[in-house]
Amino acid sequence: MSQYIEIHPQNPQPRLIRQAVDIIQSGGVIAYPTDSSYALGCRIGEKNAVERIRRIRQLDDKHNFTLVCRDLSELGLYAKVDTSTFRLIKAHTPGPYTFILNATREVPRILLHPKRRTIGVRVPEHPITQALLEELGEPLMSVSLIMPGEKESLSDPYEMRDQLDHLVDLIIDGGMGGLEPSTVVSLTDSEPEVLRVGAGDPEPFERERA
């Protein structure tokens, strides 16, 4: 049975954040809120946890996982970013965007696109997410919490209890979440390309291409 804890969405309780991070550090899979929709997450390099997430979402190996980061200070370790790309990302973070970037050798192979060596990077603006990352001290590996056959993310923590019990180790109830996942923008080439329109406004990146 999954653990289930309620964390205040604006003032996360440190004791409960530490409890959640203990589960992550022990190789667990969690469902947690972000500034777009709820997500599934685990620690970097936890092969078994990554495979569990793939099974829950029914994902193949071509689906990009996302590095959910506390801020951009961790970006250079995991992604290859030039000055202009960094400035563009900085102008729109924290926020509901996922940026697809060329990965460095620090990213475990299991998390990469099998042909393109790319990785998604995200800096969410959500107090619970930020508290988890601060306590963990490293990025989370994540995907949006969209169940197989559905187009919208799960947003009701009580519904998550019904659908994810025994599938994840922890469900964090941070209140009702958004239905839309993050907007995905590829920055692997010279011009931005919006791959998915979600909670973030795509217009700034479409304007960059004009």
Side-chain angles (χ1 to χ4, degrees), residues 130-157:
Q130 284 289 335
L132 288 171
L133 295 169
E134 179 75 27
E135 182 69 22
L136 183 61
E138 62 185 45
L140 272 171
M141 293 310 310
S142 286
V143 295
S144 300
L145 183 44
I146 303 173
M147 298 302 286
E150 299 295 329
K151 294 182 179 180
E152 294 182 335
S153 304
L154 285 178
S155 61
D156 185 340

mmCIF file with all atom_site columns, all heavy atoms in Angstrom, residues 130-157:
data_model
loop_
_atom_site.group_PDB
_atom_site.id
_atom_site.type_symbol
_atom_site.label_atom_id
_atom_site.label_alt_id
_atom_site.label_comp_id
_atom_site.label_asym_id
_atom_site.label_entity_id
_atom_site.label_seq_id
_atom_site.pdbx_PDB_ins_code
_atom_site.Cartn_x
_atom_site.Cartn_y
_atom_site.Cartn_z
_atom_site.occupancy
_atom_site.B_iso_or_equiv
_atom_site.pdbx_formal_charge
_atom_site.auth_seq_id
_atom_site.auth_comp_id
_atom_site.auth_asym_id
_atom_site.auth_atom_id
_atom_site.pdbx_PDB_model_num
ATOM 1   N N   . GLN A 1 130 ? 9.969   22.729 -4.655  1.00 0.00 ? 130 GLN A N   1
ATOM 2   C CA  . GLN A 1 130 ? 11.214  23.385 -4.284  1.00 0.00 ? 130 GLN A CA  1
ATOM 3   C C   . GLN A 1 130 ? 11.735  22.871 -2.938  1.00 0.00 ? 130 GLN A C   1
ATOM 4   O O   . GLN A 1 130 ? 12.938  22.681 -2.755  1.00 0.00 ? 130 GLN A O   1
ATOM 5   C CB  . GLN A 1 130 ? 10.998  24.903 -4.228  1.00 0.00 ? 130 GLN A CB  1
ATOM 6   C CG  . GLN A 1 130 ? 10.923  25.573 -5.591  1.00 0.00 ? 130 GLN A CG  1
ATOM 7   C CD  . GLN A 1 130 ? 12.271  25.606 -6.282  1.00 0.00 ? 130 GLN A CD  1
ATOM 8   O OE1 . GLN A 1 130 ? 13.315  25.575 -5.649  1.00 0.00 ? 130 GLN A OE1 1
ATOM 9   N NE2 . GLN A 1 130 ? 12.256  25.652 -7.607  1.00 0.00 ? 130 GLN A NE2 1
ATOM 10  N N   . ALA A 1 131 ? 10.820  22.623 -1.986  1.00 0.00 ? 131 ALA A N   1
ATOM 11  C CA  . ALA A 1 131 ? 11.232  22.103 -0.684  1.00 0.00 ? 131 ALA A CA  1
ATOM 12  C C   . ALA A 1 131 ? 11.815  20.693 -0.805  1.00 0.00 ? 131 ALA A C   1
ATOM 13  O O   . ALA A 1 131 ? 12.812  20.360 -0.151  1.00 0.00 ? 131 ALA A O   1
ATOM 14  C CB  . ALA A 1 131 ? 10.055  22.111 0.287   1.00 0.00 ? 131 ALA A CB  1
ATOM 15  N N   . LEU A 1 132 ? 11.194  19.862 -1.637  1.00 0.00 ? 132 LEU A N   1
ATOM 16  C CA  . LEU A 1 132 ? 11.716  18.510 -1.865  1.00 0.00 ? 132 LEU A CA  1
ATOM 17  C C   . LEU A 1 132 ? 13.121  18.565 -2.455  1.00 0.00 ? 132 LEU A C   1
ATOM 18  O O   . LEU A 1 132 ? 14.029  17.847 -2.013  1.00 0.00 ? 132 LEU A O   1
ATOM 19  C CB  . LEU A 1 132 ? 10.790  17.746 -2.825  1.00 0.00 ? 132 LEU A CB  1
ATOM 20  C CG  . LEU A 1 132 ? 9.436   17.289 -2.289  1.00 0.00 ? 132 LEU A CG  1
ATOM 21  C CD1 . LEU A 1 132 ? 8.586   16.744 -3.439  1.00 0.00 ? 132 LEU A CD1 1
ATOM 22  C CD2 . LEU A 1 132 ? 9.586   16.231 -1.200  1.00 0.00 ? 132 LEU A CD2 1
ATOM 23  N N   . LEU A 1 133 ? 13.317  19.416 -3.456  1.00 0.00 ? 133 LEU A N   1
ATOM 24  C CA  . LEU A 1 133 ? 14.615  19.507 -4.122  1.00 0.00 ? 133 LEU A CA  1
ATOM 25  C C   . LEU A 1 133 ? 15.681  20.075 -3.196  1.00 0.00 ? 133 LEU A C   1
ATOM 26  O O   . LEU A 1 133 ? 16.840  19.652 -3.231  1.00 0.00 ? 133 LEU A O   1
ATOM 27  C CB  . LEU A 1 133 ? 14.486  20.359 -5.384  1.00 0.00 ? 133 LEU A CB  1
ATOM 28  C CG  . LEU A 1 133 ? 13.584  19.776 -6.482  1.00 0.00 ? 133 LEU A CG  1
ATOM 29  C CD1 . LEU A 1 133 ? 13.308  20.815 -7.555  1.00 0.00 ? 133 LEU A CD1 1
ATOM 30  C CD2 . LEU A 1 133 ? 14.205  18.526 -7.095  1.00 0.00 ? 133 LEU A CD2 1
ATOM 31  N N   . GLU A 1 134 ? 15.282  21.029 -2.362  1.00 0.00 ? 134 GLU A N   1
ATOM 32  C CA  . GLU A 1 134 ? 16.224  21.615 -1.401  1.00 0.00 ? 134 GLU A CA  1
ATOM 33  C C   . GLU A 1 134 ? 16.708  20.556 -0.411  1.00 0.00 ? 134 GLU A C   1
ATOM 34  O O   . GLU A 1 134 ? 17.910  20.452 -0.121  1.00 0.00 ? 134 GLU A O   1
ATOM 35  C CB  . GLU A 1 134 ? 15.548  22.762 -0.649  1.00 0.00 ? 134 GLU A CB  1
ATOM 36  C CG  . GLU A 1 134 ? 16.413  23.430 0.392   1.00 0.00 ? 134 GLU A CG  1
ATOM 37  C CD  . GLU A 1 134 ? 17.459  24.346 -0.201  1.00 0.00 ? 134 GLU A CD  1
ATOM 38  O OE1 . GLU A 1 134 ? 17.239  24.871 -1.313  1.00 0.00 ? 134 GLU A OE1 1
ATOM 39  O OE2 . GLU A 1 134 ? 18.513  24.513 0.444   1.00 0.00 ? 134 GLU A OE2 1
ATOM 40  N N   . GLU A 1 135 ? 15.790  19.760 0.089   1.00 0.00 ? 135 GLU A N   1
ATOM 41  C CA  . GLU A 1 135 ? 16.144  18.710 1.055   1.00 0.00 ? 135 GLU A CA  1
ATOM 42  C C   . GLU A 1 135 ? 16.916  17.572 0.389   1.00 0.00 ? 135 GLU A C   1
ATOM 43  O O   . GLU A 1 135 ? 17.866  17.030 0.972   1.00 0.00 ? 135 GLU A O   1
ATOM 44  C CB  . GLU A 1 135 ? 14.873  18.161 1.710   1.00 0.00 ? 135 GLU A CB  1
ATOM 45  C CG  . GLU A 1 135 ? 15.098  17.096 2.765   1.00 0.00 ? 135 GLU A CG  1
ATOM 46  C CD  . GLU A 1 135 ? 15.745  17.619 4.025   1.00 0.00 ? 135 GLU A CD  1
ATOM 47  O OE1 . GLU A 1 135 ? 15.666  18.842 4.308   1.00 0.00 ? 135 GLU A OE1 1
ATOM 48  O OE2 . GLU A 1 135 ? 16.359  16.803 4.747   1.00 0.00 ? 135 GLU A OE2 1
ATOM 49  N N   . LEU A 1 136 ? 16.536  17.228 -0.846  1.00 0.00 ? 136 LEU A N   1
ATOM 50  C CA  . LEU A 1 136 ? 17.186  16.127 -1.564  1.00 0.00 ? 136 LEU A CA  1
ATOM 51  C C   . LEU A 1 136 ? 18.603  16.503 -1.985  1.00 0.00 ? 136 LEU A C   1
ATOM 52  O O   . LEU A 1 136 ? 19.507  15.658 -1.978  1.00 0.00 ? 136 LEU A O   1
ATOM 53  C CB  . LEU A 1 136 ? 16.348  15.748 -2.785  1.00 0.00 ? 136 LEU A CB  1
ATOM 54  C CG  . LEU A 1 136 ? 16.818  14.563 -3.638  1.00 0.00 ? 136 LEU A CG  1
ATOM 55  C CD1 . LEU A 1 136 ? 16.846  13.281 -2.799  1.00 0.00 ? 136 LEU A CD1 1
ATOM 56  C CD2 . LEU A 1 136 ? 15.921  14.395 -4.855  1.00 0.00 ? 136 LEU A CD2 1
ATOM 57  N N   . GLY A 1 137 ? 18.796  17.758 -2.394  1.00 0.00 ? 137 GLY A N   1
ATOM 58  C CA  . GLY A 1 137 ? 20.123  18.211 -2.794  1.00 0.00 ? 137 GLY A CA  1
ATOM 59  C C   . GLY A 1 137 ? 20.545  17.810 -4.187  1.00 0.00 ? 137 GLY A C   1
ATOM 60  O O   . GLY A 1 137 ? 21.724  17.914 -4.553  1.00 0.00 ? 137 GLY A O   1
ATOM 61  N N   . GLU A 1 138 ? 19.609  17.341 -4.999  1.00 0.00 ? 138 GLU A N   1
ATOM 62  C CA  . GLU A 1 138 ? 19.883  16.959 -6.384  1.00 0.00 ? 138 GLU A CA  1
ATOM 63  C C   . GLU A 1 138 ? 18.561  16.941 -7.144  1.00 0.00 ? 138 GLU A C   1
ATOM 64  O O   . GLU A 1 138 ? 17.490  16.976 -6.530  1.00 0.00 ? 138 GLU A O   1
ATOM 65  C CB  . GLU A 1 138 ? 20.538  15.585 -6.455  1.00 0.00 ? 138 GLU A CB  1
ATOM 66  C CG  . GLU A 1 138 ? 19.680  14.464 -5.909  1.00 0.00 ? 138 GLU A CG  1
ATOM 67  C CD  . GLU A 1 138 ? 20.404  13.124 -5.880  1.00 0.00 ? 138 GLU A CD  1
ATOM 68  O OE1 . GLU A 1 138 ? 21.569  13.079 -5.448  1.00 0.00 ? 138 GLU A OE1 1
ATOM 69  O OE2 . GLU A 1 138 ? 19.790  12.127 -6.292  1.00 0.00 ? 138 GLU A OE2 1
ATOM 70  N N   . PRO A 1 139 ? 18.606  16.916 -8.492  1.00 0.00 ? 139 PRO A N   1
ATOM 71  C CA  . PRO A 1 139 ? 17.354  16.904 -9.257  1.00 0.00 ? 139 PRO A CA  1
ATOM 72  C C   . PRO A 1 139 ? 16.567  15.606 -9.059  1.00 0.00 ? 139 PRO A C   1
ATOM 73  O O   . PRO A 1 139 ? 17.117  14.577 -8.662  1.00 0.00 ? 139 PRO A O   1
ATOM 74  C CB  . PRO A 1 139 ? 17.825  17.027 -10.719 1.00 0.00 ? 139 PRO A CB  1
ATOM 75  C CG  . PRO A 1 139 ? 19.192  17.607 -10.631 1.00 0.00 ? 139 PRO A CG  1
ATOM 76  C CD  . PRO A 1 139 ? 19.783  17.059 -9.370  1.00 0.00 ? 139 PRO A CD  1
ATOM 77  N N   . LEU A 1 140 ? 15.282  15.694 -9.335  1.00 0.00 ? 140 LEU A N   1
ATOM 78  C CA  . LEU A 1 140 ? 14.406  14.517 -9.413  1.00 0.00 ? 140 LEU A CA  1
ATOM 79  C C   . LEU A 1 140 ? 14.239  14.124 -10.869 1.00 0.00 ? 140 LEU A C   1
ATOM 80  O O   . LEU A 1 140 ? 14.175  14.986 -11.747 1.00 0.00 ? 140 LEU A O   1
ATOM 81  C CB  . LEU A 1 140 ? 13.020  14.850 -8.851  1.00 0.00 ? 140 LEU A CB  1
ATOM 82  C CG  . LEU A 1 140 ? 12.745  14.687 -7.364  1.00 0.00 ? 140 LEU A CG  1
ATOM 83  C CD1 . LEU A 1 140 ? 11.382  15.278 -7.039  1.00 0.00 ? 140 LEU A CD1 1
ATOM 84  C CD2 . LEU A 1 140 ? 12.781  13.213 -6.964  1.00 0.00 ? 140 LEU A CD2 1
ATOM 85  N N   . MET A 1 141 ? 14.154  12.822 -11.127 1.00 0.00 ? 141 MET A N   1
ATOM 86  C CA  . MET A 1 141 ? 13.757  12.355 -12.454 1.00 0.00 ? 141 MET A CA  1
ATOM 87  C C   . MET A 1 141 ? 12.238  12.267 -12.483 1.00 0.00 ? 141 MET A C   1
ATOM 88  O O   . MET A 1 141 ? 11.640  11.670 -11.588 1.00 0.00 ? 141 MET A O   1
ATOM 89  C CB  . MET A 1 141 ? 14.347  10.971 -12.733 1.00 0.00 ? 141 MET A CB  1
ATOM 90  C CG  . MET A 1 141 ? 15.853  10.957 -12.869 1.00 0.00 ? 141 MET A CG  1
ATOM 91  S SD  . MET A 1 141 ? 16.506  12.179 -14.011 1.00 0.00 ? 141 MET A SD  1
ATOM 92  C CE  . MET A 1 141 ? 15.497  11.883 -15.456 1.00 0.00 ? 141 MET A CE  1
ATOM 93  N N   . SER A 1 142 ? 11.601  12.859 -13.492 1.00 0.00 ? 142 SER A N   1
ATOM 94  C CA  . SER A 1 142 ? 10.141  12.947 -13.474 1.00 0.00 ? 142 SER A CA  1
ATOM 95  C C   . SER A 1 142 ? 9.515   12.797 -14.845 1.00 0.00 ? 142 SER A C   1
ATOM 96  O O   . SER A 1 142 ? 10.157  13.020 -15.883 1.00 0.00 ? 142 SER A O   1
ATOM 97  C CB  . SER A 1 142 ? 9.699   14.308 -12.897 1.00 0.00 ? 142 SER A CB  1
ATOM 98  O OG  . SER A 1 142 ? 9.881   14.364 -11.509 1.00 0.00 ? 142 SER A OG  1
ATOM 99  N N   . VAL A 1 143 ? 8.235   12.433 -14.801 1.00 0.00 ? 143 VAL A N   1
ATOM 100 C CA  . VAL A 1 143 ? 7.339   12.517 -15.963 1.00 0.00 ? 143 VAL A CA  1
ATOM 101 C C   . VAL A 1 143 ? 5.986   12.995 -15.445 1.00 0.00 ? 143 VAL A C   1
ATOM 102 O O   . VAL A 1 143 ? 5.663   12.832 -14.269 1.00 0.00 ? 143 VAL A O   1
ATOM 103 C CB  . VAL A 1 143 ? 7.156   11.153 -16.682 1.00 0.00 ? 143 VAL A CB  1
ATOM 104 C CG1 . VAL A 1 143 ? 8.452   10.660 -17.291 1.00 0.00 ? 143 VAL A CG1 1
ATOM 105 C CG2 . VAL A 1 143 ? 6.573   10.106 -15.751 1.00 0.00 ? 143 VAL A CG2 1
ATOM 106 N N   . SER A 1 144 ? 5.196   13.601 -16.317 1.00 0.00 ? 144 SER A N   1
ATOM 107 C CA  . SER A 1 144 ? 3.856   14.043 -15.931 1.00 0.00 ? 144 SER A CA  1
ATOM 108 C C   . SER A 1 144 ? 2.992   12.851 -15.544 1.00 0.00 ? 144 SER A C   1
ATOM 109 O O   . SER A 1 144 ? 3.148   11.751 -16.092 1.00 0.00 ? 144 SER A O   1
ATOM 110 C CB  . SER A 1 144 ? 3.188   14.802 -17.092 1.00 0.00 ? 144 SER A CB  1
ATOM 111 O OG  . SER A 1 144 ? 3.948   15.937 -17.447 1.00 0.00 ? 144 SER A OG  1
ATOM 112 N N   . LEU A 1 145 ? 2.074   13.057 -14.625 1.00 0.00 ? 145 LEU A N   1
ATOM 113 C CA  . LEU A 1 145 ? 1.211   11.971 -14.139 1.00 0.00 ? 145 LEU A CA  1
ATOM 114 C C   . LEU A 1 145 ? -0.034  11.851 -15.023 1.00 0.00 ? 145 LEU A C   1
ATOM 115 O O   . LEU A 1 145 ? -1.145  12.228 -14.655 1.00 0.00 ? 145 LEU A O   1
ATOM 116 C CB  . LEU A 1 145 ? 0.838   12.215 -12.681 1.00 0.00 ? 145 LEU A CB  1
ATOM 117 C CG  . LEU A 1 145 ? -0.017  11.144 -11.972 1.00 0.00 ? 145 LEU A CG  1
ATOM 118 C CD1 . LEU A 1 145 ? 0.467   9.745  -12.290 1.00 0.00 ? 145 LEU A CD1 1
ATOM 119 C CD2 . LEU A 1 145 ? -0.025  11.390 -10.483 1.00 0.00 ? 145 LEU A CD2 1
ATOM 120 N N   . ILE A 1 146 ? 0.195   11.342 -16.225 1.00 0.00 ? 146 ILE A N   1
ATOM 121 C CA  . ILE A 1 146 ? -0.891  11.088 -17.180 1.00 0.00 ? 146 ILE A CA  1
ATOM 122 C C   . ILE A 1 146 ? -1.011  9.574  -17.324 1.00 0.00 ? 146 ILE A C   1
ATOM 123 O O   . ILE A 1 146 ? -0.059  8.907  -17.745 1.00 0.00 ? 146 ILE A O   1
ATOM 124 C CB  . ILE A 1 146 ? -0.600  11.727 -18.548 1.00 0.00 ? 146 ILE A CB  1
ATOM 125 C CG1 . ILE A 1 146 ? -0.361  13.235 -18.402 1.00 0.00 ? 146 ILE A CG1 1
ATOM 126 C CG2 . ILE A 1 146 ? -1.748  11.468 -19.516 1.00 0.00 ? 146 ILE A CG2 1
ATOM 127 C CD1 . ILE A 1 146 ? 0.108   13.909 -19.677 1.00 0.00 ? 146 ILE A CD1 1
ATOM 128 N N   . MET A 1 147 ? -2.148  9.025  -16.953 1.00 0.00 ? 147 MET A N   1
ATOM 129 C CA  . MET A 1 147 ? -2.315  7.577  -16.993 1.00 0.00 ? 147 MET A CA  1
ATOM 130 C C   . MET A 1 147 ? -2.524  7.096  -18.434 1.00 0.00 ? 147 MET A C   1
ATOM 131 O O   . MET A 1 147 ? -2.977  7.863  -19.288 1.00 0.00 ? 147 MET A O   1
ATOM 132 C CB  . MET A 1 147 ? -3.495  7.166  -16.112 1.00 0.00 ? 147 MET A CB  1
ATOM 133 C CG  . MET A 1 147 ? -3.306  7.520  -14.633 1.00 0.00 ? 147 MET A CG  1
ATOM 134 S SD  . MET A 1 147 ? -1.820  6.783  -13.909 1.00 0.00 ? 147 MET A SD  1
ATOM 135 C CE  . MET A 1 147 ? -2.350  5.056  -13.749 1.00 0.00 ? 147 MET A CE  1
ATOM 136 N N   . PRO A 1 148 ? -2.196  5.841  -18.720 1.00 0.00 ? 148 PRO A N   1
ATOM 137 C CA  . PRO A 1 148 ? -2.345  5.312  -20.080 1.00 0.00 ? 148 PRO A CA  1
ATOM 138 C C   . PRO A 1 148 ? -3.757  5.507  -20.623 1.00 0.00 ? 148 PRO A C   1
ATOM 139 O O   . PRO A 1 148 ? -4.741  5.260  -19.922 1.00 0.00 ? 148 PRO A O   1
ATOM 140 C CB  . PRO A 1 148 ? -2.022  3.821  -19.901 1.00 0.00 ? 148 PRO A CB  1
ATOM 141 C CG  . PRO A 1 148 ? -1.132  3.773  -18.706 1.00 0.00 ? 148 PRO A CG  1
ATOM 142 C CD  . PRO A 1 148 ? -1.614  4.850  -17.790 1.00 0.00 ? 148 PRO A CD  1
ATOM 143 N N   . GLY A 1 149 ? -3.834  5.985  -21.858 1.00 0.00 ? 149 GLY A N   1
ATOM 144 C CA  . GLY A 1 149 ? -5.127  6.192  -22.511 1.00 0.00 ? 149 GLY A CA  1
ATOM 145 C C   . GLY A 1 149 ? -5.786  7.514  -22.195 1.00 0.00 ? 149 GLY A C   1
ATOM 146 O O   . GLY A 1 149 ? -6.842  7.831  -22.760 1.00 0.00 ? 149 GLY A O   1
ATOM 147 N N   . GLU A 1 150 ? -5.186  8.297  -21.282 1.00 0.00 ? 150 GLU A N   1
ATOM 148 C CA  . GLU A 1 150 ? -5.761  9.589  -20.906 1.00 0.00 ? 150 GLU A CA  1
ATOM 149 C C   . GLU A 1 150 ? -4.978  10.730 -21.551 1.00 0.00 ? 150 GLU A C   1
ATOM 150 O O   . GLU A 1 150 ? -3.796  10.590 -21.875 1.00 0.00 ? 150 GLU A O   1
ATOM 151 C CB  . GLU A 1 150 ? -5.737  9.757  -19.377 1.00 0.00 ? 150 GLU A CB  1
ATOM 152 C CG  . GLU A 1 150 ? -6.530  8.710  -18.622 1.00 0.00 ? 150 GLU A CG  1
ATOM 153 C CD  . GLU A 1 150 ? -8.014  8.788  -18.899 1.00 0.00 ? 150 GLU A CD  1
ATOM 154 O OE1 . GLU A 1 150 ? -8.513  9.905  -19.158 1.00 0.00 ? 150 GLU A OE1 1
ATOM 155 O OE2 . GLU A 1 150 ? -8.676  7.734  -18.862 1.00 0.00 ? 150 GLU A OE2 1
ATOM 156 N N   . LYS A 1 151 ? -5.650  11.870 -21.735 1.00 0.00 ? 151 LYS A N   1
ATOM 157 C CA  . LYS A 1 151 ? -4.995  13.045 -22.306 1.00 0.00 ? 151 LYS A CA  1
ATOM 158 C C   . LYS A 1 151 ? -4.650  14.083 -21.241 1.00 0.00 ? 151 LYS A C   1
ATOM 159 O O   . LYS A 1 151 ? -3.770  14.916 -21.441 1.00 0.00 ? 151 LYS A O   1
ATOM 160 C CB  . LYS A 1 151 ? -5.894  13.690 -23.371 1.00 0.00 ? 151 LYS A CB  1
ATOM 161 C CG  . LYS A 1 151 ? -6.108  12.810 -24.597 1.00 0.00 ? 151 LYS A CG  1
ATOM 162 C CD  . LYS A 1 151 ? -6.954  13.516 -25.639 1.00 0.00 ? 151 LYS A CD  1
ATOM 163 C CE  . LYS A 1 151 ? -7.153  12.640 -26.877 1.00 0.00 ? 151 LYS A CE  1
ATOM 164 N NZ  . LYS A 1 151 ? -7.989  13.319 -27.903 1.00 0.00 ? 151 LYS A NZ  1
ATOM 165 N N   . GLU A 1 152 ? -5.362  14.033 -20.109 1.00 0.00 ? 152 GLU A N   1
ATOM 166 C CA  . GLU A 1 152 ? -5.128  15.005 -19.046 1.00 0.00 ? 152 GLU A CA  1
ATOM 167 C C   . GLU A 1 152 ? -4.460  14.330 -17.853 1.00 0.00 ? 152 GLU A C   1
ATOM 168 O O   . GLU A 1 152 ? -4.627  13.135 -17.611 1.00 0.00 ? 152 GLU A O   1
ATOM 169 C CB  . GLU A 1 152 ? -6.450  15.644 -18.604 1.00 0.00 ? 152 GLU A CB  1
ATOM 170 C CG  . GLU A 1 152 ? -7.106  16.496 -19.683 1.00 0.00 ? 152 GLU A CG  1
ATOM 171 C CD  . GLU A 1 152 ? -8.386  17.148 -19.190 1.00 0.00 ? 152 GLU A CD  1
ATOM 172 O OE1 . GLU A 1 152 ? -9.009  16.604 -18.242 1.00 0.00 ? 152 GLU A OE1 1
ATOM 173 O OE2 . GLU A 1 152 ? -8.775  18.184 -19.751 1.00 0.00 ? 152 GLU A OE2 1
ATOM 174 N N   . SER A 1 153 ? -3.713  15.128 -17.111 1.00 0.00 ? 153 SER A N   1
ATOM 175 C CA  . SER A 1 153 ? -3.041  14.623 -15.922 1.00 0.00 ? 153 SER A CA  1
ATOM 176 C C   . SER A 1 153 ? -4.043  14.362 -14.802 1.00 0.00 ? 153 SER A C   1
ATOM 177 O O   . SER A 1 153 ? -5.084  15.024 -14.720 1.00 0.00 ? 153 SER A O   1
ATOM 178 C CB  . SER A 1 153 ? -2.012  15.647 -15.430 1.00 0.00 ? 153 SER A CB  1
ATOM 179 O OG  . SER A 1 153 ? -1.089  15.963 -16.440 1.00 0.00 ? 153 SER A OG  1
ATOM 180 N N   . LEU A 1 154 ? -3.705  13.422 -13.931 1.00 0.00 ? 154 LEU A N   1
ATOM 181 C CA  . LEU A 1 154 ? -4.481  13.265 -12.707 1.00 0.00 ? 154 LEU A CA  1
ATOM 182 C C   . LEU A 1 154 ? -4.297  14.521 -11.850 1.00 0.00 ? 154 LEU A C   1
ATOM 183 O O   . LEU A 1 154 ? -3.177  15.015 -11.694 1.00 0.00 ? 154 LEU A O   1
ATOM 184 C CB  . LEU A 1 154 ? -4.008  12.040 -11.927 1.00 0.00 ? 154 LEU A CB  1
ATOM 185 C CG  . LEU A 1 154 ? -4.425  10.667 -12.456 1.00 0.00 ? 154 LEU A CG  1
ATOM 186 C CD1 . LEU A 1 154 ? -3.815  9.566  -11.586 1.00 0.00 ? 154 LEU A CD1 1
ATOM 187 C CD2 . LEU A 1 154 ? -5.928  10.520 -12.494 1.00 0.00 ? 154 LEU A CD2 1
ATOM 188 N N   . SER A 1 155 ? -5.387  15.037 -11.311 1.00 0.00 ? 155 SER A N   1
ATOM 189 C CA  . SER A 1 155 ? -5.298  16.280 -10.536 1.00 0.00 ? 155 SER A CA  1
ATOM 190 C C   . SER A 1 155 ? -5.862  16.152 -9.131  1.00 0.00 ? 155 SER A C   1
ATOM 191 O O   . SER A 1 155 ? -5.598  17.004 -8.282  1.00 0.00 ? 155 SER A O   1
ATOM 192 C CB  . SER A 1 155 ? -6.050  17.402 -11.269 1.00 0.00 ? 155 SER A CB  1
ATOM 193 O OG  . SER A 1 155 ? -7.429  17.072 -11.415 1.00 0.00 ? 155 SER A OG  1
ATOM 194 N N   . ASP A 1 156 ? -6.626  15.093 -8.871  1.00 0.00 ? 156 ASP A N   1
ATOM 195 C CA  . ASP A 1 156 ? -7.282  14.903 -7.582  1.00 0.00 ? 156 ASP A CA  1
ATOM 196 C C   . ASP A 1 156 ? -6.505  13.861 -6.770  1.00 0.00 ? 156 ASP A C   1
ATOM 197 O O   . ASP A 1 156 ? -6.442  12.682 -7.147  1.00 0.00 ? 156 ASP A O   1
ATOM 198 C CB  . ASP A 1 156 ? -8.715  14.435 -7.808  1.00 0.00 ? 156 ASP A CB  1
ATOM 199 C CG  . ASP A 1 156 ? -9.515  14.317 -6.506  1.00 0.00 ? 156 ASP A CG  1
ATOM 200 O OD1 . ASP A 1 156 ? -8.893  14.229 -5.427  1.00 0.00 ? 156 ASP A OD1 1
ATOM 201 O OD2 . ASP A 1 156 ? -10.754 14.308 -6.576  1.00 0.00 ? 156 ASP A OD2 1
ATOM 202 N N   . PRO A 1 157 ? -5.899  14.258 -5.648  1.00 0.00 ? 157 PRO A N   1
ATOM 203 C CA  . PRO A 1 157 ? -5.117  13.306 -4.850  1.00 0.00 ? 157 PRO A CA  1
ATOM 204 C C   . PRO A 1 157 ? -5.915  12.078 -4.400  1.00 0.00 ? 157 PRO A C   1
ATOM 205 O O   . PRO A 1 157 ? -5.344  10.989 -4.244  1.00 0.00 ? 157 PRO A O   1
ATOM 206 C CB  . PRO A 1 157 ? -4.666  14.144 -3.651  1.00 0.00 ? 157 PRO A CB  1
ATOM 207 C CG  . PRO A 1 157 ? -4.633  15.546 -4.172  1.00 0.00 ? 157 PRO A CG  1
ATOM 208 C CD  . PRO A 1 157 ? -5.802  15.634 -5.114  1.00 0.00 ? 157 PRO A CD  1
#
